Amino acid sequence: MQIEKNKVATIEYTLKNNDGEVLDTSEGNEPMVYIHGIGNLIPGLEEVLEGKGQDDETQVSIPPEKAYGVPNPELVQVVERNVFQGVDDLQVGMQFQAQGDDGTQVIWITDIEGDNVTIDGNHPLAGETLNFDVKVVDVRDASTEELEHGHVHGPGGHHHE
Ligand code: ZN
């Protein structure tokens, strides 16, 4: 069976930046399980996995445009510390969810100087070229329920109470 839209694929992967630093890996963890073709993965990775089958291995270098995008300077803002009322120990690197025009947006604190807090709504990997080593472990059909929910159930997937 090959990976195509609405198949559930299980993959092992290692992600490195252009300096060869490992940013993320499934090694030592569970492999990643996802539904193909519905935007669960970044576009560049879905593209290269399309048509692959069990035990296929591939290496791919994905430009920012097909990964997490190019950083948008408009998403960087300086706000006053009192915006974060109720947060006791505000620190660089903290992540918050904000309600924006396009739904929920994740923002990061990238700098704090006195009462000025710099927030960044870009993905931390925006602007990075992502180098993946990927191995396909399994491919199967998605169930109707999985397609309705838009995520995988069972091992490596979503568990409902
Ligand atoms: Zn579900």
Side-chain angles (χ1 to χ4, degrees), residues 84 90-96 107-112 117-120:
F84 297 94
L90 208 59
Q91 286 182 17
V92 171
M94 277 181 163
Q95 186 185 333
F96 294 88
I107 58 158
W108 301 79
I109 293 182
T110 54
D111 194 30
I112 302 176
V117 179
T118 306
I119 59 172
D120 190 343

Side-chain angles (χ1 to χ4, degrees), residues 2-149:
Q2 289 183 327
I3 297 179
E4 56 185 31
K5 188 169 164 61
N6 295 340
K7 299 291 184 197
V8 172
T10 304
I11 59 172
E12 290 173 349
Y13 66 95
T14 297
L15 165 61
K16 293 177 185 161
N17 64 15
N18 275 349
D19 296 328
E21 282 174 77
V22 174
L23 302 177
D24 193 13
T25 178
S26 61
E27 214 176 298
N29 295 304
E30 294 293 308
M32 177 161 63
V33 190
Y34 78 101
I35 303 176
H36 190 79
I38 62 168
N40 282 173
L41 301 188
I42 55 171
L45 198 50
E46 293 218 341
E47 232 169 65
V48 76
L49 286 167
E50 177 86 26
K52 296 279 188 296
Q54 194 175 12
D55 295 330
D56 281 351
E57 288 182 58
T58 188
Q59 285 188 321
V60 61
S61 183
I62 301 174
E65 293 77 13
K66 288 187 176 180
Y68 292 101
V70 250
N72 177 357
E74 286 178 13
L75 295 179
V76 180
Q77 288 178 52
V78 178
V79 298
E80 291 190 19
R81 185 186 279 269
N82 64 20
V83 166
F84 297 94
Q85 270 175 17
V87 183
D88 291 336
D89 188 19
L90 208 59
Q91 286 182 17
V92 171
M94 277 181 163
Q95 186 185 333
F96 294 88
Q97 292 197 337
Q99 290 302 323
D101 297 338
D102 305 323
T104 306
Q105 191 193 9
V106 175
I107 58 158
W108 301 79
I109 293 182
T110 54
D111 194 30
I112 302 176
E113 282 183 40
D115 275 343
N116 294 327
V117 179
T118 306
I119 59 172
D120 190 343
N122 289 294
H123 191 281
L125 292 177
E128 295 264 11
T129 296
L130 303 182
N131 303 288
F132 279 94
D133 287 326
V134 193
K135 181 180 181 187
V136 180
V137 180
D138 187 53
V139 186
R140 65 167 169 86
D141 287 314
S143 70
T144 313
E145 199 186 35
E146 284 174 324
L147 291 176
E148 279 170 6
H149 290 199

Side-chain angles (χ1 to χ4, degrees), residues 149 151 153 158 160:
H149 290 199
H151 56 227
H153 293 161
H158 197 92
H160 293 285

